[in-house]
Amino acid sequence: MTLLPATARQIDTQVTQAQIDGRTPSLVLGVVRDGALVHLAAAGEQPRPAIDLQYRVGSISKTMTASLIMQLRDAGRLSVDDELEKHLPGTVVGSLTLRQLLGHASGMQREPEGEWWERAAGTDLATLLAGLTADKIAYPPHTAYHYSNLAYALLGGVLERLTGTPWADLLNERLLGPLGMRRTTYAATEPYARGYVVHPWHGTLREEPRTDTGAMAPAGQLWSTIEDLGRWAAFLADPDPSVLAAGTLTEMCAPVVISDLDSWTGGHGLGLELYRDGERVYVGHGGSMPGYVAALVVHRPTRTAVVGFANSYGFPITGLGRRLLTTVLDAEPAFPQPWRPATATPTAELAELTGRWWWMGTSLDLSWDAGDLVAHVRGERVSRFTAEGTDRWRGRSGPENGEILTVRRDDSGRAVAVDIATFVFTRSPDEIP
């Protein structure tokens, strides 16, 4: 599968113009659809971008740190509502919860003490923890959104203490290896692009250092390629359940905090940034380290994403990635999936439940689909129910997610009403249960 020629030309034009306007030595962006890289757009010559050329991903590393935390949550090793003290005892900011740290809702300041960590040699976890002070919590949790790199260093510390495995090794074992991301590495591995600061007045380049950030690594250490970052984007769109449950990833995409209270165009979930573009919501993350920027933007409903890199600090790549994703979705909407007939027939007891029911003049249409009951209220609000016992169903999606549907029967065993969380629907709009 590839993009249509007209769409590809739009993407290529935007990328080339962005490289000119942003004066970055090299720029590369890829479009991912249905798990595959379908288009590569590149501009610049220092070096010439390529699909296997490494760049630094910066804070996109946080999305992987968060996924490791959620793996341990699913395995019963922790709760996201655990206080940090439970896993890093003696920490002076131990009252903060893992959820608050994941969602940048903890009130913790952005950086550790000392030199700017992104450009300095990193310390070990014990040194980082020893340097923490209680005043690193600037204000109470959930007061406001405040991005914190330090929070993710602490989450990396939780992972290491719980598993006894260094963060980088855990990442390789549990994410990078299983997903085939062999060119995503802790340190730069040739071929890789050198990172630069571009002089604002005469356009010369100053090469930036490539540091080992030590205990801060879970916040921004990694290097990757367009091909590998495309694999990660495909995973965020449609996860491999052997790596992370689909429901867990959906949970990560729910807002912990809204970062833009005036217009609700942005927020943060459990490790993922949330962006609103019109009626669409994208998930992903931006990244920057000295000499590098990176973008990861995913539209999960259509399994479409844009990933990208530039090798100059300050280039506005996340905004460009969002614009390119919107261009693709506007130009080439996802092809609708054809309806297919059912391959099995419901039992008589199930078939009896299907059809229209009424409550207070409101219609409820129940249909049967692959063993589940699907409820449409007024033809609009859709919920799916899974059997939990005889005449008892649990809502698994939609407005009735988590609620109980029970079937009421008369003395002869005929279904006469459907009770959803005490709202009782009957077969006639004139009937009062």
Side-chain angles (χ1 to χ4, degrees), residues 207-294:
E207 187 173 343
E208 285 292 279
R210 295 173 289 277
T211 55
D212 180 339
T213 57
M216 291 296 295
Q221 174 67 32
L222 294 176
W223 296 73
S224 192
T225 65
I226 283 291
E227 191 170 40
D228 265 18
L229 197 56
R231 288 193 177 99
W232 183 241
F235 174 80
L236 294 179
D238 186 15
D240 179 345
S242 69
V243 176
L244 195 66
T248 298
L249 190 46
T250 298
E251 183 182 352
M252 294 172 69
C253 297
V256 174
V257 63
I258 297 296
S259 56
D260 174 13
L261 294 177
D262 292 329
S263 57
W264 286 49
T265 58
H268 212 287
L270 296 172
L272 291 168
E273 292 178 342
L274 314 174
Y275 320 109
R276 173 171 289 284
D277 188 288
E279 293 304 307
R280 299 185 184 111
V281 174
Y282 303 151
V283 304
H285 216 288
S288 68
M289 288 294 280
Y292 302 91
V293 291

Side-chain angles (χ1 to χ4, degrees), residues 353 364 366 373 375 385 391-395 403-407 418-421:
L353 302 180
L364 167 73
L366 285 182
L373 286 177
F385 291 85
D391 286 341
R392 179 183 170 91
W393 302 74
R394 174 79 69 173
E403 300 294 347
I404 298 295
L405 180 155
T406 56
V407 180
V418 172
D419 181 337
I420 302 178

Side-chain angles (χ1 to χ4, degrees), residues 166-182:
W167 172 81
D169 294 340
L170 198 66
L171 190 70
N172 280 315
E173 292 170 11
R174 297 192 174 214
L175 288 182
L176 303 182
L179 295 177
M181 295 170 64
R182 294 175 180 83

